[in-house]
Amino acid sequence: MQDYSAFAAKLNDVHDWPCTYIFKCIVPSTEAEAFRSAFPEHTLSDRTSKAGKYISFTLEFTAESSKDVVAVYQTAATIPGAMPL
């Protein structure tokens, strides 16, 4: 499992909690449903690439702390081929 402690520290340096956080991720089209299922409590917007091989997802949510943001990145990391931006 990846260590997100340095990322969490950077988040804490630049954000005042709670705040709105925008998470963007590119996912292979074959994994789009898995990505949607991984975030049932969030509203997602998406856009399919020109060739249809990838879907970009945007997830906007209120984060209470860096832990909320890290949890989203950790969940996205479980989806094969997911590339957070």
Side-chain angles (χ1 to χ4, degrees):
M1 178 175 247
Q2 187 173 345
D3 181 15
Y4 288 90
S5 58
F7 179 54
K10 287 179 185 177
L11 287 168
N12 288 328
D13 287 343
V14 297
H15 292 283
D16 292 321
W17 308 107
C19 72
T20 299
Y21 191 86
I22 299 173
F23 173 80
K24 294 184 180 243
C25 190
I26 297 172
V27 178
S29 296
T30 56
E31 299 296 334
E33 195 51 45
F35 189 87
R36 285 184 187 98
S37 296
F39 298 100
E41 70 282 1
H42 295 290
T43 302
L44 300 170
S45 58
D46 60 72
R47 182 173 177 203
T48 303
S49 66
K50 192 181 275 189
K53 292 183 177 182
Y54 296 94
I55 297 179
S56 63
F57 286 98
T58 301
L59 186 157
E60 187 172 339
F61 64 100
T62 300
E64 298 296 325
S65 71
S66 59
K67 288 181 182 182
D68 293 345
V69 175
V70 168
V72 169
Y73 277 84
Q74 288 174 323
T75 300
T78 66
I79 307 300
M83 298 172 275
L85 302 176

